[in-house]
Amino acid sequence: MKSIPRLQMAAPTSAGITKGFKLAPLALLPPIPLYRRLLRAHRKHLPSEMRLLGDQYIKSEFRAHRNVENPVHIIGFLTEWQMYAQSLEGDSWIGEQMDVGKIDKMSDQQLGQLYELMQAIRKKQLEDGESSEE
């Protein structure tokens, strides 16, 4: 009878872990299941005002990228949205700031969209502050 060599336990490594010990996405979801997952995550984890704004943003982004044919762009798009869904589902997004490296890589159009999103959030916060004072 042959003896079977004993397998050693795997040692933990930093492979597959991103900054802040968050797990990197293992496999990319196809666009439609990812889209549905994002809307479900918004429904479950966001207050109604944030959900409305977030749902509109997701819908417009997925519509805008519907006909993109560059595989690198598609992979980047799906990866970022999947990481967003994971962070939203894990509540690690609360109070988190954007990575400076990601901001540096953004185009002028993306920076403009980010600025518009920031303005919409601030406007909503001001409206909520004024209505609570009354």
Side-chain angles (χ1 to χ4, degrees), residues 20-31:
F21 300 109
K22 295 177 193 169
L23 292 176
L26 299 176
L28 283 179
L29 288 174

Side-chain angles (χ1 to χ4, degrees), residues 32-56 58-59 81 84-85 88-89 91 93:
I32 293 175
L34 179 58
Y35 178 80
R36 290 178 182 152
R37 178 181 175 186
L38 289 163
L39 294 177
R40 276 194 305 270
H42 277 190
R43 191 175 331 123
K44 187 174 180 181
H45 298 284
L46 294 180
S48 60
E49 301 84 25
M50 290 176 72
R51 177 183 166 204
L52 292 174
L53 182 63
D55 286 355
Q56 288 176 348
I58 288 172
K59 290 173 184 177
W81 277 110
Y84 168 73
L88 190 63
E89 291 164 349
D91 290 334
W93 59 276

